[in-house]
Amino acid sequence: MTQQYYHMIFKALKEKDRDQFRHLFLKLHQRDQVQVFYYMYPEKKAQIPHMLSAAEFADLFAILDQDQRYQAWDKLDHDYMAGVFSHTPKDELTDFIQGLTIADQQAVLKLLAGPDRLAVEQLMDYPAETAGSLMTTEMVKVNNQATVDQVIDSLRQMADRVETLYYIYVVDEQDCLLGVISLRSLIIAEGGRKVSDLMTSQLITVDRYTDQEAISHIIKDYDLVAVPVLDELGQLVGIVTIDDIMDVVDLEVSEDFHKFAAIQSADEPGHEGEGILAIAKSRLPWIVILIFLGLISANLIAAFEDTIAQIVALAAFMPIIMDSAGNVGTQSLAVAVRRITSGEDQTMSLSKRVWHEFCAGVIIGLVAGFCLGLTSYLLHRNLVLSLIISISLWLTLSVSTVIGYLVPSLFTKLKIDPAVASGPFITTINDTFGLLIYFSLATYLLHLL
């Protein structure tokens, strides 16, 4: 969308030209509509009820972020917002309400009609990050005795009230899920056939308390657009759609990135925003922990003070040993976390994975050790010193790859998020082992220097 088009929209809004605004705004893709809404001044946003119907704005409201949704709730007439809420998918509405203060939650719930309020309250009761909290209850489900023509007629009537039409779910009189039909199969079938003859009974389902990350793997592995959610009786209570899972994957990646960098995620408790104090608060805990872990390295250096005093050149290569250990360990950590979170780690035993990482570390260490040893020999013309540096780097990198992979894998076995094994944490551990190997070898061969 060009700047000129933006200008035309805002000009129509400024002049309160409803027809022109609707002509320009409704032609836009929804993501571009979000951008327009974002750039509106608060007083201009207050004009939305005069420009768009509640149903039209509900489509936009469903894809706004929490801050923009709250601005809409705060600036727009609440009677108008009641209409918007009635057309908003219940899972999106639930997400919005859960992000509000208790007072605002109660105010929004009072605006909802009885059935809508009951549906939202039921979704709010489910634990966070489960199928129940993600699912929408607005789906197409039909009785197993219905014919194709009857189902198609029903689809026409409910099309604007459901989130997806890709799948039609077939249930019995007790709402127990029997099968599923794709929209394509329904369209090409003869009108008089019963849906029970067309449905697929080999179902991929989840229960209400399935973790969202497990659901994302199921949808990815089976190439699903949506996955049905069943209760303990096998009754269909909702579906989790792929767009909800894409949001989940995005959040999981962001969360793992923050943990990987030893930073508290912005959506975790205790993070109040992007102010200076909030930024410092999110990073400080790990930094303090790493300071105390770093004392181990400091004590190691102090313990080998006599060795360093006799061969000062050892100190020159100490940062290279430490940096290389940290870098290799972080690489192994990234590979381990990716394999674990993507499910690849289940295809091979932990011992084999560790062995593969160790062999890779050995090869990396041999090449890196040779390069650094050769460099040290050219600089100092001391063969023993060069061997110490080469062998130390070789052993350090071999061990670092194992540590970088093994720590998150062990965390997973202990039911701890593997991303908690952050880069700085692994780096500090590998630094300690690297220094221990380096100075121990140097002390052992000191008499030859």
Side-chain angles (χ1 to χ4, degrees):
M1 185 172 58
T2 64
Q3 289 295 324
Q4 183 180 4
Y5 201 92
Y6 269 117
H7 179 72
M8 292 169 62
I9 292 175
F10 288 121
K11 181 181 179 183
L13 189 62
K14 181 179 179 180
E15 296 175 354
K16 299 183 180 180
D17 187 341
R18 184 175 186 271
D19 291 339
Q20 178 69 354
F21 177 83
R22 290 176 57 81
H23 172 72
L24 296 170
F25 186 79
L26 295 177
K27 285 172 63 177
L28 294 175
H29 188 278
Q30 282 189 330
R31 290 297 170 185
D32 293 327
Q33 291 177 357
V34 169
Q35 287 294 102
V36 172
F37 184 79
Y38 177 81
Y39 287 117
M40 286 182 186
Y41 290 118
E43 62 272 16
K44 299 302 181 185
K45 289 178 180 176
Q47 296 181 32
I48 288 293
H50 306 293
M51 301 293 179
L52 301 174
S53 69
E56 289 168 339
F57 187 66
D59 292 336
L60 177 60
F61 184 84
I63 61 173
L64 292 175
D65 62 31
Q66 182 67 13
D67 290 339
Q68 291 298 313
R69 287 176 177 178
Y70 182 78
Q71 284 191 26
W73 161 250
D74 187 49
K75 300 298 181 183
L76 304 186
D77 179 76
H78 282 190
D79 288 337
Y80 175 77
M81 290 305 297
V84 172
F85 294 152
S86 69
H87 291 90
T88 302
K90 297 301 175 287
D91 56 333
E92 298 293 345
L93 184 55
T94 302
D95 288 342
F96 167 63
I97 294 174
Q98 289 178 325
L100 300 175
T101 63
I102 298 299
D104 280 330
Q105 285 184 5
Q106 294 174 348
V108 173
L109 289 172
K110 285 181 180 178
L111 294 178
L112 301 182
D116 290 342
R117 177 169 181 167
L118 179 62
V120 168
E121 288 177 336
Q122 287 176 340
L123 292 177
M124 290 175 66
D125 286 339
Y126 291 111
E129 301 184 354
T130 62
S133 66
L134 288 174
M135 70 182 184
T136 178
T137 55
E138 296 155 319
M139 61 207 158
V140 181
K141 57 181 180 179
V142 298
N143 187 272
N144 61 319
Q145 296 302 315
T147 64
V148 170
D149 284 338
Q150 290 172 336
V151 173
I152 291 177
D153 288 340
S154 297
L155 288 178
R156 294 192 182 101
Q157 298 173 20
M158 66 175 70
D160 60 342
R161 301 197 306 272
V162 297
E163 190 161 336
T164 178
L165 288 174
Y166 292 109
Y167 298 134
I168 294 90
Y169 298 97
V170 183
V171 298
D172 60 16
E173 287 74 11
Q174 287 76 41
D175 261 358
C176 291
L177 183 63
L178 302 178
V180 62
I181 307 173
S182 68
L183 183 60
R184 178 181 181 278
S185 298
L186 188 72
I187 292 173
I188 64 177
E190 296 179 3
R193 295 190 66 182
K194 289 186 177 181
V195 292
S196 57
D197 298 330
L198 302 171
M199 69 182 187
T200 298
S201 56
Q202 295 177 335
L203 301 171
I204 307 299
T205 64
V206 297
D207 64 52
R208 294 172 294 176
Y209 301 100
T210 302
D211 182 75
Q212 62 182 17
E213 199 163 346
I215 300 172
S216 69
H217 290 314
I218 290 172
I219 287 182
K220 174 188 172 185
D221 293 342
Y222 291 94
D223 290 327
L224 300 176
V225 176
V227 61
V229 182
L230 308 183
D231 64 12
E232 59 276 4
L233 299 177
Q235 295 175 323
L236 180 64
V237 294
I239 59 173
V240 178
T241 59
I242 191 170
D243 61 323
D244 294 322
I245 287 302
M246 289 176 66
D247 293 337
V248 166
V249 170
D250 185 48
L251 287 172
E252 292 284 350
V253 169
S254 297
E255 180 183 293
D256 287 350
F257 174 79
H258 282 95
K259 289 177 179 177
F260 187 81
I263 302 172
Q264 182 178 337
S265 179
D267 57 355
E268 290 179 5
H271 192 292
E272 290 87 17
E274 289 299 324
I276 295 174
L277 289 178
I279 293 172
K281 185 179 179 180
S282 70
R283 302 178 186 180
L284 190 58
W286 266 109
I287 297 301
V288 173
I289 293 172
L290 294 173
I291 286 173
F292 285 99
L293 287 176
L295 290 175
I296 300 174
S297 299
N299 288 329
L300 273 174
I301 295 173
F304 290 99
E305 185 177 355
D306 292 341
T307 302
I308 298 173
Q310 294 183 53
I311 307 296
V312 178
L314 289 171
F317 292 93
M318 185 172 65
I320 301 176
I321 300 289
M322 295 173 66
D323 288 346
S324 299
N327 293 337
V328 170
T330 302
Q331 287 178 336
S332 295
L333 169 63
V335 171
V337 171
R338 183 186 66 81
R339 285 174 176 166
I340 292 168
T341 56
S342 66
E344 294 177 29
D345 204 62
Q346 300 173 1
T347 62
M348 188 181 293
S349 67
L350 177 60
S351 59
K352 286 187 177 180
R353 288 291 187 191
V354 172
W355 173 249
H356 281 192
E357 288 297 319
F358 174 72
C359 291
V362 168
I363 296 172
I364 294 170
L366 282 172
V367 176
F370 174 78
C371 293
L372 187 60
L374 179 62
T375 302
S376 69
Y377 181 76
L378 293 175
L379 291 174
H380 298 282
R381 299 296 177 176
N382 188 323
L383 183 59
V384 176
L385 176 62
S386 299
L387 286 174
I388 290 173
I389 293 170
S390 296
I391 295 171
S392 296
L393 188 59
W394 171 51
L395 294 175
T396 297
L397 298 190
S398 301
V399 172
S400 295
T401 54
V402 173
I403 293 174
Y405 187 87
L406 193 58
V407 170
S409 299
L410 290 177
F411 278 20
T412 301
K413 297 291 184 181
L414 297 173
K415 307 300 182 183
I416 301 173
D417 190 341
V420 173
S422 64
F425 180 68
I426 293 293
T427 298
T428 304
I429 294 176
N430 284 341
D431 286 350
T432 302
F433 276 98
L435 288 174
L436 182 62
I437 292 170
Y438 183 42
F439 287 126
S440 295
L441 185 61
T443 301
Y444 181 74
L445 299 177
L446 185 62
H447 63 284
L448 298 177
L449 290 169

